[in-house]
Structures are given as structure tokens and as C-alpha cells.
Amino acid sequence: MLEVSNIKKKYGKKIVLEDVSFQANCGERVAIIGRNGCGKTTLMQILAGILKPNEGRLRYFGKNPQSKKEYFRKYCGYVPQELPLMEELSVRDNLRLWGVDRTEGSEEIIRQFELEEMMKMAVGKLSGGMKRRLSIACALAGWPPILLMDEPTTALDLYYKESIRNWMKSFNAMNGIIVMTTHDEKEILSCDRCMLMQEGHLTELSKKDQNMDSIRKMLA
């Protein structure tokens, strides 16, 4: 289980996140939606251990990653908007850098994201969609039980968007937890739960409001 309790983040006097709390259980996919600049990425970076909150607590399956940083790496994989890839290295070397080659079932990860034919290519020569697929593959090093995905299908064409969505279903079916930010309607509606970020506050939508007509009105 992922537990987020009373997270607060500010920069100077500007409060970006205020008293953010939620839980995500095994097998769940949770969408965090909201306008650009509302704090979604800041929250994801806190969950991944990149930023420190000013206040609040995280728990990954009862463990406190804020007191033992290795828990971030052990329990969660992070797919940021800005892809964390070494452009001058090959696809194979990027996978090695993240430890995918030491992961049981690494061949399945490579096959799932259709990376076989580009293993020798420099990342700098890849399309945006190819880099996105590689970034997700890198986040799976060690098969973390929690996957944090910030706009995961950005730059992907329709074929690969559907492929990634199907893969998400498989990850959830293995009791994996996915927390994702997205503007994509299909992704929002496919999630078990949907949370709206507005002015630094996070509110879970009721099942009644988890539809695009209601969401558009909230974001207007």
C-alpha cells in the first residue's frame, strides 16, 4: 500500500501543495488530474524522493522512505515528464545504467516495449515515442511494486498508447500500484480512482463525477 499523509510543499511564501493525503492499494490505478502548473508534477517528485516536502509523511508498504532513501528505489519506479535518459549512450547502455539487465525477466521488459531492434541505437537518435517507451522500461528495473507515471503516453502514437495501456492492466493484475498524472480521457476513465488537484489541494472524485463532462466543468 502507498500512503500519503498531510504533504505540504512551498517555495518561499508560495504554497504549492497543501495537506495532500491519499492511499493507493495493491492492484489499483489512480489518476491525478488538474490544470498545468497546479502541483501534479511536484507531488510526483515528492513521491519518488526527488523533492522533500516541508511537512507530511510517506509510507511504502509500511516503510518510511524519508528515513531510509533506498526504499524509494526498492519500492517505486518513476517515469518523469522530462525523460531521464543519457542521449549519447545506446538503448542497451541506458537499460544497463538503470539496472534492467540485472532484473529477472529483463528480456520480457525489452520485448514488451518493443526495444529489440533499437538496442544499439544512440538514444539521441530516437523519436520522442521511442524514448518514452525506453523510459518506462528503465523505471521497471527491479520490478518495483509502485509505478509513478507523469504523463506516461505523451508523444506516443495511437498504437503505442494502446500498448502501454494494456501493459498497465497487466501490471495492475500482478498487484502493482500505478499512480499517474494524465490529460488523456481514456486513461482517466480506465483508472480505478481519480483525484483532482486544484490550487495545491487534492480531492478524490466520486464515481458519479468520474466522467469527462463533470471533469471538464471542474477544470473550466
Side-chain angles (χ1 to χ4, degrees), residues 27-31 79 112-113 132 136 140 145 147-154 156 160-182 184 186-188 190-192:
E28 278 192 322
R29 196 181 325 166
V30 177
V79 184
Q112 182 68 50
F113 295 98
R132 179 66 55 178
I136 297 173
L140 290 173
L147 195 57
L148 309 172
M149 308 179 81
D150 200 353
E151 302 287 347
T153 60
T154 298
L156 293 177
Y160 285 115
K161 279 190 177 186
E162 194 61 30
S163 176
I164 296 301
R165 289 176 189 135
N166 289 334
W167 178 84
M168 289 181 193
K169 292 178 184 177
S170 298
F171 186 79
N172 289 139
M174 294 186 292
N175 275 333
I177 298 169
I178 294 176
V179 178
M180 60 190 295
T181 69
T182 182
D184 186 282
K186 280 191 175 181
E187 288 167 13
I188 292 171
S190 70
C191 287
D192 300 290

Side-chain angles (χ1 to χ4, degrees), residues 75-144:
Y75 287 103
C76 85
Y78 179 43
V79 184
Q81 284 191 49
E82 299 297 328
L83 303 179
L85 304 172
M86 301 294 287
E87 296 269 323
E88 68 276 14
L89 298 182
S90 68
V91 169
R92 186 186 306 278
D93 286 340
N94 271 272
L95 291 169
R96 285 174 175 167
L97 184 65
W98 285 91
V100 174
D101 62 316
R102 300 186 298 276
T103 297
E104 183 178 352
S106 59
E107 295 85 359
E108 175 60 21
I109 293 174
I110 292 168
R111 185 198 65 78
Q112 182 68 50
F113 295 98
E114 301 187 28
L115 303 175
E116 302 100 321
E117 295 183 3
M118 62 181 78
M119 295 293 281
K120 295 181 180 180
M121 292 179 63
V123 167
K125 296 182 178 180
L126 301 180
S127 69
M130 291 175 178
K131 291 177 183 179
R132 179 66 55 178
R133 285 151 49 200
L134 175 59
S135 181
I136 297 173
C138 289
L140 290 173
W143 289 112

Side-chain angles (χ1 to χ4, degrees), residues 5-55:
S5 303
N6 309 114
I7 293 294
K8 182 175 183 177
K9 182 65 178 178
K10 61 181 181 178
Y11 296 103
K13 294 182 178 180
K14 180 178 175 58
I15 297 175
V16 181
L17 300 175
E18 180 69 69
D19 198 29
V20 171
S21 299
F22 73 95
Q23 293 183 353
N25 298 311
C26 292
E28 278 192 322
R29 196 181 325 166
V30 177
I32 297 176
I33 64 172
R35 289 181 171 181
N36 291 335
C38 70
K40 302 188 302 295
T41 293
T42 298
L43 176 58
M44 296 294 274
Q45 290 176 338
I46 289 172
L47 298 183
I50 296 169
L51 293 178
K52 291 183 178 180
N54 296 99
E55 298 176 15

